[in-house]
Amino acid sequence: MAKVTFKLLDGNLVTVDDASGNLMELAQEHQIDGVDGDCGGVCSCSTCHVYVDPAWMDKVPAADDMETDTLEFNSHQKPNSRLSCQIEMTDELDGLVVEVAPAE
């Protein structure tokens, strides 16, 4: 089963083993500070904003237009920005590293 590492705003790392399913829900289940998911994962806010480690950008499925539009209004957006609610953990993403983005 896959694992994912979250880099927190304070620089600490939290690794979640047996990571499967929605990345935002995994973050909430493991109480990752800064991944709030206020909209419940329907891609209408950016409170689950993360930065995908550049080494993983080609492995994570690309953002669709709805996600891109939602991120467009976030002042902390970067080229590797993603909404964690739009990333499904799979075995292919074993070892994924994401950084929690600052809140708006």
Side-chain angles (χ1 to χ4, degrees), residues 2-103:
K3 68 179 173 183
V4 60
T5 300
F6 293 90
K7 182 176 181 185
L8 306 180
L9 291 169
D10 64 8
N12 286 319
L13 302 176
V14 175
T15 299
V16 174
D17 296 315
D18 297 330
S20 65
N22 184 274
L23 186 59
M24 179 198 73
E25 292 172 1
L26 285 166
Q28 291 175 331
E29 180 181 327
H30 293 276
Q31 301 175 339
I32 302 298
D33 288 333
V35 180
D36 298 330
D38 290 344
C39 71
V42 297
C43 198
S44 66
C45 72
S46 61
T47 61
C48 68
H49 181 197
V50 295
Y51 303 121
V52 174
D53 185 280
W56 286 92
M57 284 301 292
D58 290 339
K59 296 175 181 92
V60 174
D64 64 17
D65 290 341
M66 185 177 196
E67 180 179 359
T68 302
D69 290 346
T70 301
L71 281 166
E72 186 175 297
F73 297 103
N74 190 298
S75 62
H76 300 288
Q77 181 187 20
K78 296 181 180 180
N80 60 332
S81 288
R82 290 298 304 273
L83 298 179
S84 61
C85 69
Q86 300 301 300
I87 299 174
E88 289 295 318
M89 286 300 299
T90 63
D91 288 340
E92 290 77 28
L93 296 179
D94 182 26
L96 177 66
V97 178
V98 297
E99 180 180 349
V100 176

